[in-house]
Amino acid sequence: MTEEDKKLLSTFEARLRHFMYLHDELKRENAQLKQLLTDKDAEVKRVENSRKELEAMYTNLKMARTISIHDKDISDTKQRLSRLVREVDKCIALLNE
């Protein structure tokens, strides 16, 4: 083997080692990115579940505020209920005739 062949072989071996090193680095980086993606997916699911819980709580709160009766509204509500009861009584009376 000539001196030039030895030099080419040495250069080839050095480049091959460098490429193998780069390959290993890329494999490690890929594994880290996959783990990061898995972690982010889990976080997205957790946040989505939290959002759903908060949305349900908000809906319940809206319903509770709608149902709650303030002191000034009590008499209005009683009057409305009385009117409804009278209308129902009239309908029942008409049906019985």
Side-chain angles (χ1 to χ4, degrees), residues 1-91:
M1 197 182 298
T2 65
E3 192 64 35
E4 188 177 324
D5 290 339
K6 288 181 182 178
K7 186 177 178 183
L8 284 173
L9 185 59
S10 175
T11 304
F12 175 74
E13 287 176 350
R15 286 184 180 170
L16 183 60
R17 279 192 211 105
H18 181 70
F19 285 131
M20 288 172 63
Y21 170 78
L22 290 176
H23 177 262
D24 290 340
E25 286 295 313
L26 288 174
K27 279 175 54 176
R28 274 193 286 277
E29 183 181 359
N30 192 23
Q32 288 174 344
L33 290 173
K34 283 182 180 179
Q35 182 60 45
L36 182 63
L37 182 62
T38 302
D39 294 344
K40 292 296 180 183
D41 284 343
E43 184 177 351
V44 165
K45 287 180 184 177
R46 182 185 57 78
V47 169
E48 180 64 23
N49 289 337
S50 176
R51 183 196 62 80
K52 286 180 182 178
E53 285 179 23
L54 289 173
E55 191 174 287
M57 289 170 59
Y58 176 70
T59 302
N60 291 340
L61 180 62
K62 280 185 3 185
M63 184 70 75
R65 284 195 74 159
T66 302
I67 293 173
S68 71
I69 300 174
H70 300 290
D71 290 338
K72 64 181 181 175
D73 295 335
I74 290 176
S75 62
D76 291 338
T77 304
K78 284 182 181 179
Q79 288 175 355
R80 275 187 252 140
L81 285 174
S82 294
R83 269 187 259 129
L84 286 173
V85 168
R86 281 193 300 273
E87 286 183 36
V88 169
D89 286 342
K90 287 179 187 177
C91 290

